[in-house]
Amino acid sequence: MKRKQTNTIKLLLLVIISFIINLPIKAQSFRKYSNEFLNIGADARAFGMGNNVVANVSDVNSVYWNPAGLTQVTDSWQAALMHAEYFQSIAKYEYAAVAIPLNGGTEGTVGISLYRFAVDDIMNTTQLIDNQGNIDYNKISRFSTADYALMGSYAGNLFNDPNLSVGANAKIVYRHVGKFANAFGFGLDAGLQYRTEDKFYFGVMVRDITTTFNVWSVNEKELNKMELDGETLNEAPEDKIELTIPKLKLGVAKKLDISEKIGFLAEANLNFEFSKTNDLVSSDVVSMSPSLGVEFDYDNTVFLRAGFTNMQHEMQYDGTKKITMQPNAGIGFKYRGVTVDYALTNIGNASVALYSNIFSVKIDIAEFHR
């Protein structure tokens, strides 16, 4: 079993290396925005630190941030739940995950996670206007649009080194827009982590490493119901295939024991997108923005967090550009095997996004037996 695990890990490492070498050549062939709901994140602890956890994440939430961190789940299974609402509760986002160590973690750790992002009660106006141009408000109906993703994760130690781990996600995506269209997709993520004895942590996460694709099926009959003077007002898109641009995240973290009961953790990330964006550093091939997060803990029971992310050049009304960032803050409380976390993003309206209140719960079964 160990030999099979080692061969699997070596293959994952080879895929990561070949991806990093060849990505700049392929970057121009992808769509800029695709499966954006999978870029929201998961876990209020991570949000509170400005999403800066790729190097230090070590629990069930590794399934999203860096699957390599699952190797730290060894004693028993863990589970996590999160609920968030966006745009004044118009959009709702749910996340659930479980991590299960195999033979005490000696044969690796597996994880399963489910994501849902949905907007309900959208007005369907495709039949609002008849062929003669008459408006009939009684023909307005409502529909929902929802995005789903199911991920399976696996992580293990590389070269039998307990401080060096690698992991991967395989994800299936399903998206639907009422009766008008639906899509299925598939993709892979991969990550690495390295931990030193003096509590330095290093992490690499490549999201959509093989490109995640969606194949859309459009119900043109439903979409084309709105006509005027014999002409269709809603035309189906010609391109039925989406390819998601990969993203690369590099992180380094340091854990300090300030006193016997007070701890401090800081992590800095470099976030890369392989397209031209408004990030702090941008080119036609790759863009990069830095981010930083910190966490204080008292007796590993009470947590206080802060961080920033999304450092960008934002266009102002007078045509000038201003560097902006999104601040985040959060708190957490842990009692035995239950951890409750809360995060508040975009404090002080420093970005164009609305305030978001995020809650998550984590259950660690091993803690109940100690």
Side-chain angles (χ1 to χ4, degrees), residues 92-296:
K92 294 178 174 59
Y93 177 54
E94 276 82 31
Y95 154 78
V98 62
I100 305 171
L102 304 177
N103 195 20
T106 59
E107 297 178 358
T109 303
V110 297
I112 300 174
S113 51
L114 179 64
Y115 309 78
R116 180 184 184 269
F117 184 85
V119 178
D120 300 313
D121 294 326
I122 304 171
M123 286 193 296
N124 177 8
T125 60
T126 56
Q127 300 182 62
L128 177 64
I129 305 174
D130 63 22
N131 294 333
Q132 286 73 42
N134 300 314
I135 297 177
D136 186 353
Y137 292 103
N138 293 322
K139 292 185 177 181
I140 295 178
S141 58
R142 295 181 181 272
F143 68 96
S144 298
T145 177
D147 301 328
Y148 297 86
L150 177 65
M151 289 190 191
S153 308
Y154 174 80
N157 295 118
L158 190 62
F159 308 127
N160 294 321
D161 185 345
N163 295 318
L164 181 61
S165 58
V166 63
N169 297 328
K171 52 190 172 186
I172 299 173
V173 178
Y174 172 70
R175 306 174 66 186
H176 78 86
V177 184
K179 299 178 180 180
F180 306 107
N182 61 72
F184 286 93
F186 176 80
L188 297 174
D189 307 327
L192 286 166
Q193 275 190 349
Y194 179 67
R195 297 168 176 263
T196 68
E197 299 297 333
D198 53 354
K199 298 183 179 180
F200 271 103
Y201 310 137
F202 303 89
V204 179
M205 175 63 174
V206 188
R207 198 172 301 281
D208 304 306
I209 189 170
T210 57
T211 76
T212 297
F213 70 91
N214 287 340
V215 179
W216 283 91
S217 174
V218 179
N219 187 339
E220 297 191 24
K221 182 179 179 180
E222 286 290 334
L223 192 63
N224 295 341
K225 282 185 176 180
M226 183 179 287
E227 295 184 359
L228 183 61
D229 295 332
E231 294 187 8
T232 299
L233 300 183
N234 296 312
E235 293 185 359
E238 295 182 3
D239 190 0
K240 302 297 193 302
I241 298 178
E242 283 184 2
L243 293 179
T244 306
I245 300 176
K247 292 180 173 62
L248 171 66
K249 185 184 285 282
L250 306 177
V252 57
K254 172 63 176 177
K255 173 73 173 177
L256 294 173
D257 295 320
I258 298 177
S259 67
E260 184 178 345
K261 290 192 174 183
I262 299 178
F264 173 75
L265 173 69
E267 176 166 331
N269 286 178
L270 295 178
N271 309 284
F272 294 88
E273 292 194 36
F274 297 93
S275 64
K276 188 174 182 60
T277 69
N278 293 326
D279 286 344
L280 188 64
V281 179
S282 182
S283 70
D284 291 335
V285 177
V286 63
S287 302
M288 185 276 294
S289 66
S291 54
L292 177 68
V294 296
E295 177 183 66
F296 290 90

Side-chain angles (χ1 to χ4, degrees), residues 43-49 303 305 329-333 339-345 355-361:
D43 176 34
R45 173 184 181 265
F47 282 111
M49 294 183 66
F303 303 87
R305 307 177 182 108
I331 58 175
F333 178 76
T339 304
V340 179
D341 294 308
Y342 164 78
L344 177 65
T345 66
Y355 290 92
S356 298
N357 298 284
I358 300 171
F359 296 88
S360 66
V361 178

